[in-house]
Structures are given as structure tokens and as C-alpha cells.
Amino acid sequence: MRIAFRSDVGRIRLVNEDRAWANVQDNHYGIAIVADGMGGHLAGEVASQLAVDTFQEVLASTKIAELAPEERHTFIRKAILQANDVVYDMASRNDQYHNMGTTVVALLAYPDSGVIGHIGDSRAYIWTGGTFTQLTEDHTLVNELTKHGQISAEEAANHPRRNVLTRALGTDEEVEVDVIDFAWKPDDVLLLCSDGLSNMVTDEQMQAVIQAQDMDIDSKTEKLLEMALQAGGDDNITVVLLHHAVDTEQEG
């Protein structure tokens, strides 16, 4: 399994409030997380960093290779809910962090399957069998309006409130985590990203990069980031790619 990840402040923002981390454990198990923070001065980057740090702390006390399939759900939900507790507590005790929060999308990837936990609008995609599919569902106002037929997909793409979240990590004492199973096989690719990529680069453009035969995984990560910047770079951009390959080389 090979992993590459990159994060960039973009062309407009002064601070990168995205955080990401990814790793291969025991040569067979991929772990990754992307968090896109929000809040007042510095609060967004604090929230996203706390989320990633807490996820890693929970992970450090767990041997993911020994988790049964049903235990994987429990683990990823527990890790994300623990991060929610940490961020919410920090925001509650410090006025400068009032109402800070973050999106989160995290995964555990095993040799033939995996599990994803997420809150917010950072996304997970999979390229498998020649098709590119979004695995997560955005927790946004615009997605709710689209699902209920109140606006079209075209209107959603340019809606003035498309960044309004209906669910975030750390803003409330209790939050619901969506947990998704996926199957994958050799040569499949998983993509995790913040909306700085998905709002600027179409699914078709992302698929074209991911399935390209003339680039390695690190080059593909760089290319996706570059495309978001060329499209305007309106937001922080974070990209994580996991390639189901025998080679375990990691780029970060």
C-alpha cells in the first residue's frame, strides 16, 4: 500500500486551517485523516490539529490489525467522538475558541476492505473497476436542499451558502458520526480531501488524474493540488491518496 498527502494554504487564505495525517501500519494497513477547521482567529487550525492529534492518540493504543470488522466501526466512531469531546471542551473553556469546529474524514484500509468515519463536507472517493465514486455524503445545507429537490445539482455547485455545514466536529457536545464500509482490491485508489479540492476540481478531472498511467501516486497528489490552485485556490487544499499496491513507500 502506498500513501501520499499534501496540504496547501491556497491563493486567498492567509492561514492553512486544514490538517492531514496518513500512515501505513505493518506494511498492510492504511490509516488516514483529513480535518478542515473553522472558527475565528486561529481557532480553525486549533480545532483541526486537535482532531488529528486525538485520532492519533486513540490509534496509538489500538492494534488495528487485530480488530474484527464490527470492531472497526466502533473504533473509528470512538476516535472521532473523542476528538469531538476534546475540541468542544477547548472551545467551551476559552473565549477565543468559542464555536470553533472542524470537518473530519478518517479511514482504516485493510487488504480487501475498510471503514470510513466522517462529519462535515471533507470527502472520501474510491477509484475501482474504472469508475470513480464519492463514498461520503456532505453534511451541508446545500446537500440537504438538493436531496429534497429544492435546488438542482447545478444550482448547488454555485450556491452562495454551499459552505454552510449541518454537522461539524467540536461545535456541539454530541454529534453523529457517519460510518461507511468499502471494499477494494489491488490497484484501486482511495482519495480523501478537503473542500478546497472538491469545490474547485470536478469529479471527472479528479478521475482523469487518478487513473493516469504515466504518473506515480506522489505526482498525482501534486497534480490534484496544482489543479485546485489553477482553478482559483479559493480555500485551503488537502489531498490524501492511498494506492492499493504491494509497494509500501510513503510520501508526506
Side-chain angles (χ1 to χ4, degrees), residues 49-69:
Q49 188 67 59
L50 284 172
V52 171
D53 289 347
T54 305
F55 182 81
Q56 288 180 273
E57 288 167 11
V58 177
L59 182 69
S61 62
T62 305
K63 294 184 177 180
I64 67 165
E66 299 176 5
L67 294 177

Side-chain angles (χ1 to χ4, degrees), residues 178-192:
D178 283 3
V179 181
I180 304 152
D181 291 302
F182 66 89
W184 74 329
K185 59 186 184 299
D187 211 35
D188 288 355
V189 178
L190 290 163
L191 164 67
L192 301 188

